[in-house]
Amino acid sequence: MADTSQTTGGLMGSDDSVASHFDFEGTNKVRSEATRGRIRLAILVFTCCFAVMTGRLVMLGFDSPEPEAQRNSAQEAMAAARPDLLDRNGEILATDIKTASIFAEPRRIVDVDEAVDAILSVFPDIDGERLRKRLAGKGKFTWIKREVTPRQQQAMHEAGIPGIGFLSENRRFYPAGPTASHIVGLVNVDNEGIAGMEKYVDQSGLSVLHDLGFARDSNQEPVQLSIDLRAQHVLRDELGKSMTKFKAIAASGIVMNVNTGEVIAMASLPDFDPNDPKDVNKPDRLNRITAGVYEMGSVFKTITTAMALDSGKVRMRDSFDATQPIRVRGGTISDFHAKKRILSVPEVFIYSSNIGTAKMALKIGKEEHKNFLKRANLLDRLQTELPEARTPSFPKRWTDLSTMTISYGHGLTVAPIQVAATAAALVNGGKYIKPTFLKRSREKARKIAQPLVSDETSASMRYLMRLNTLKGSGKRSKVDGYLVGGKTGTAEKVENGRYSKDKVFNSYLSAFPMDKPEYVVLVMLDEPKGLKETYGYATAGVNAAPLAGNVIRRIGSMLGVSPRFGQKIVPTVAASF
């Protein structure tokens, strides 16, 4: 019994242990289920919280009482900096300055009438009715005035109107004002280049950097132009004086380095002030040097003579009969100061004979004539850094008559910068170098130079241009100490399809010093009037020629060309490239 009892007791003890074990596993399972439930609940709570936060952020993005996004976006747009533009000597032509713009948050404005009155007291030019509508609306952000003066900003600040704020922006400033306006160009209210070298800078990659978020500071490499601000001032000043004196409707000019193609100065009057460009879109503010095309008149005889001599079909000792006008197709080609005799090539040039020049061109032939003008880059649009440029116009059907009239500058319109660039090639030894408004070395110029005429032809042209200044129509361009050479051009303007007898476009194409030219100077006067001192004449010899001489007299020494007195004038062949 005892053993049985013990056995039974042992079994019973064993059953209790098993039961106890099962109870423990059940409890753990319950606890595990509870833990998982709590985790699920926590996840659900956090998910809901994040959903609420996300929803709130989305709502704030669409319906924020604070127009931070718009304000920041405007600030970003205005923060874009531009590189300084410098002249060849480091003088600043364009730079960024900090200024303020005023904006409004209509939802924050308490009294619209009070706000409108305060704004109009500082900015009376703003349309009050439109302003009232904008401020009374439900918009979150609107501009009031961009680029205000410190005094205007202070006045608005003192007005203390709730909902009116200020943002700082970069504004373009041009220290030289209108002096080089057609070269430098200008920017719009968002500091984006819209004309001149300012637009060139954007087209060269600055606008891409702005779009990508770069170029936000003022520590950008400056852009150095070929312009000499001193020479630029002289050119503009002399153009203005002659324009006033001869009552011309416009005046323009360009100075170019014949060995590098650099434009040293260029001006076109009337011009505009890029700091206050209210007149920039007026038709008479056109940049006549690159964006205008004209019949250049007798200055074109320089190109025709060079073509004839370089062809080998005409020599300096040849002569042409100018005793009678040329009658063709019901028209007449005659000379203004007719000599009515046989003229040598130098006489054709210095007496500016239309008859002699036309016969010279006919001897070359129309095909060769057109090909030469093509090689001289006078029949296609000239691409420079300035975006403002025009394409020349000429007859679709190039006839013998076309060759005759174009030989002396009628029937073909070109941009003056094209004539200056070709003239540079005719005096620098015969190499055409594409013009540039950026600083360029002689080494780089040599690499891009293209042959146009021979050294011998170039020497002949230097001789003829100097001879014209000494004995021909360019006498009034002479400058003591400088060996000036040139050619006048008096072109009758076309009105209603006919050449006018009393409206002319005058020009003088010159270079100096003619024994070894360094600079070409081309000046023009549009519709100059005759004066008592010119005996009523309004030809280029009495107005454009002295204008060029005045420019050369003032810029020669500042460009490093030392005056020489008492030297015998013997033009020589320019140094070979």
Side-chain angles (χ1 to χ4, degrees):
M1 289 291 293
D3 293 337
T4 303
S5 176
Q6 286 178 352
T7 303
T8 303
L11 288 171
M12 288 179 64
S14 177
D15 289 341
D16 288 342
S17 176
V18 171
S20 177
H21 174 71
F22 287 143
D23 287 345
F24 177 75
E25 285 188 347
T27 302
N28 283 347
K29 188 178 291 186
V30 170
R31 288 175 179 172
S32 178
E33 288 294 335
T35 301
R36 280 195 289 270
R38 284 194 293 270
I39 292 173
R40 291 193 192 99
L41 179 61
I43 292 173
L44 181 61
V45 170
F46 279 112
T47 301
C48 291
C49 289
F50 280 114
V52 171
M53 292 170 65
T54 303
R56 183 57 179 160
L57 288 173
V58 172
M59 290 175 63
L60 287 172
F62 284 103
D63 191 33
S64 173
E66 296 287 341
E68 291 294 335
Q70 291 163 293
R71 196 159 57 232
N72 290 341
S73 176
Q75 186 72 67
E76 282 283 313
M78 295 187 298
R82 302 183 64 82
D84 287 350
L85 300 184
L86 310 177
D87 88 330
R88 64 185 305 104
N89 301 311
E91 295 292 331
I92 295 177
L93 298 172
T95 190
D96 281 349
I97 60 173
K98 288 294 182 181
T99 187
S101 287
I102 301 175
F103 69 91
E105 299 174 59
R107 290 189 176 188
R108 287 179 171 272
I109 293 178
V110 179
D111 190 329
V112 173
D113 291 333
E114 179 189 19
V116 170
D117 290 341
I119 293 170
L120 293 181
S121 67
V122 180
F123 306 106
D125 58 317
I126 292 180
D127 187 328
E129 204 54 44
R130 290 183 60 189
L131 176 63
R132 190 180 305 277
K133 288 180 180 179
R134 284 190 290 140
L135 297 187
K138 296 182 179 180
K140 303 163 196 168
F141 183 93
T142 184
W143 287 114
I144 300 298
K145 191 76 171 179
R146 303 286 295 274
E147 298 181 352
V148 302
T149 66
R151 183 173 297 178
Q152 291 170 330
Q153 182 184 10
Q154 183 63 26
M156 285 303 305
H157 180 74
E158 291 174 354
I161 305 298
I164 301 295
F166 307 91
L167 286 175
S168 178
E169 66 175 314
N170 286 316
R171 179 187 176 187
R172 206 61 166 163
F173 176 63
Y174 303 92
T179 304
S181 57
H182 282 112
I183 300 170
V184 175
L186 73 162
V187 298
N188 61 18
V189 72
D190 292 315
N191 225 26
E192 299 168 335
I194 58 174
M197 293 301 292
E198 292 281 32
K199 186 171 183 179
Y200 165 78
V201 169
D202 280 32
Q203 291 175 336
S204 298
L206 182 65
S207 59
V208 176
L209 293 178
H210 284 168
D211 292 341
L212 294 174
F214 299 103
R216 296 294 183 187
D217 56 58
S218 58
N219 297 322
Q220 299 180 66
E221 192 70 24
V223 178
Q224 191 160 36
L225 308 189
S226 60
I227 306 305
D228 187 311
L229 190 56
R230 302 167 304 170
Q232 178 70 25
H233 167 74
V234 169
L235 177 63
R236 183 175 182 272
D237 183 55
E238 291 296 339
L239 288 172
K241 289 177 181 178
S242 291
M243 183 176 168
T244 300
K245 179 178 179 178
F246 295 102
K247 300 178 176 61
I249 64 172
S252 53
I254 183 171
V255 179
M256 184 182 296
N257 186 313
V258 304
N259 297 309
T260 64
E262 294 171 295
V263 176
I264 303 301
M266 185 193 78
S268 178
L269 300 177
D271 53 18
F272 61 92
D273 186 350
N275 293 311
D276 184 21
K278 59 182 182 296
D279 299 326
V280 68
N281 290 322
K282 291 182 178 179
D284 64 346
R285 308 308 157 110
L286 169 78
N287 176 6
R288 290 167 172 79
I289 300 297
T290 66
V293 290
Y294 308 94
E295 291 187 344
M296 295 298 294
S298 292
V299 298
F300 227 75
K301 292 171 183 172
T302 308
I303 298 167
T304 303
T305 304
M307 171 195 69
L309 292 173
D310 202 61
S311 71
K313 297 178 181 179
V314 175
R315 295 167 296 180
M316 287 285 277
R317 61 178 178 269
D318 288 347
S319 298
F320 294 87
D321 188 354
T323 57
Q324 297 293 329
I326 302 174
R327 302 190 184 279
V328 56
R329 292 188 187 178
T332 302
I333 297 174
S334 58
D335 290 341
F336 184 72
H337 293 294
K339 298 299 177 181
K340 297 184 179 179
R341 62 178 175 83
I342 295 174
L343 301 175
S344 66
V345 169
E347 288 177 323
V348 168
F349 190 81
I350 66 174
Y351 297 142
S352 199
S353 172
N354 294 337
I355 299 170
T357 306
K359 289 184 175 181
M360 195 183 299
L362 280 178
K363 192 169 183 179
I364 305 307
K366 61 184 180 182
E367 289 302 325
E368 191 170 339
H369 183 209
K370 186 176 181 180
N371 289 337
F372 182 84
L373 296 182
K374 182 80 172 178
R375 288 195 295 113
N377 296 283
L378 292 167
L379 301 184
D380 299 303
R381 181 175 181 266
L382 179 63
Q383 298 278 359
T384 67
E385 294 83 9
L386 292 192
E388 297 81 25
R390 284 279 299 279
T391 301
S393 65
F394 51 88
K396 291 183 179 178
R397 184 167 171 264
W398 199 289
T399 64
D400 286 342
L401 178 59
S402 301
T403 285
M404 285 191 285
T405 58
I406 290 172
S407 73
Y408 55 84
H410 284 69
L412 168 68
T413 65
V414 295
I417 191 173
Q418 294 178 279
V419 175
T422 301
L426 299 184
V427 300
N428 73 2
K431 304 297 182 181
Y432 183 90
I433 306 170
K434 184 179 178 180
T436 182
F437 289 87
L438 296 173
K439 199 169 183 180
R440 177 193 284 162
S441 66
R442 286 203 177 197
E443 290 72 25
K444 186 173 182 180
R446 289 192 186 99
K447 292 178 181 178
I448 64 172
Q450 299 292 325
L452 180 61
V453 297
S454 67
D455 279 353
E456 183 181 355
T457 299
S458 180
S460 297
M461 293 314 302
R462 294 197 299 273
Y463 169 76
L464 290 175
M465 291 175 72
R466 178 60 183 168
L467 187 65
N468 187 52
T469 301
L470 295 175
K471 297 184 178 182
S473 58
K475 289 179 181 178
R476 289 180 173 85
S477 70
K478 287 191 292 187
V479 179
D480 290 341
Y482 292 99
L483 314 183
V484 179
K487 181 71 187 76
T488 53
T490 303
E492 295 174 339
K493 294 184 68 174
V494 177
E495 278 195 335
N496 301 318
R498 300 177 66 87
Y499 285 104
S500 171
K501 294 299 182 183
D502 55 1
K503 292 183 179 180
V504 293
F505 182 84
N506 289 356
S507 56
Y508 190 70
L509 175 64
S510 58
F512 73 101
M514 290 311 295
D515 59 338
K516 191 175 182 181
E518 293 190 43
Y519 298 98
V520 158
V521 178
L522 173 63
V523 294
M524 288 153 290
L525 291 170
D526 195 350
E527 295 186 24
K529 310 301 185 294
L531 306 178
K532 185 177 180 179
E533 65 184 80
T534 65
Y535 303 97
Y537 285 108
T539 54
V542 299
N543 46 50
L547 166 57
N550 292 338
V551 171
I552 292 169
R553 184 177 294 107
R554 293 177 62 182
I555 69 173
S557 59
M558 70 175 59
L559 294 181
V561 181
S562 301
R564 289 170 286 172
F565 300 96
Q567 265 189 290
K568 190 175 180 180
I569 312 308
V570 184
T572 57
V573 176
S576 174
F577 270 67

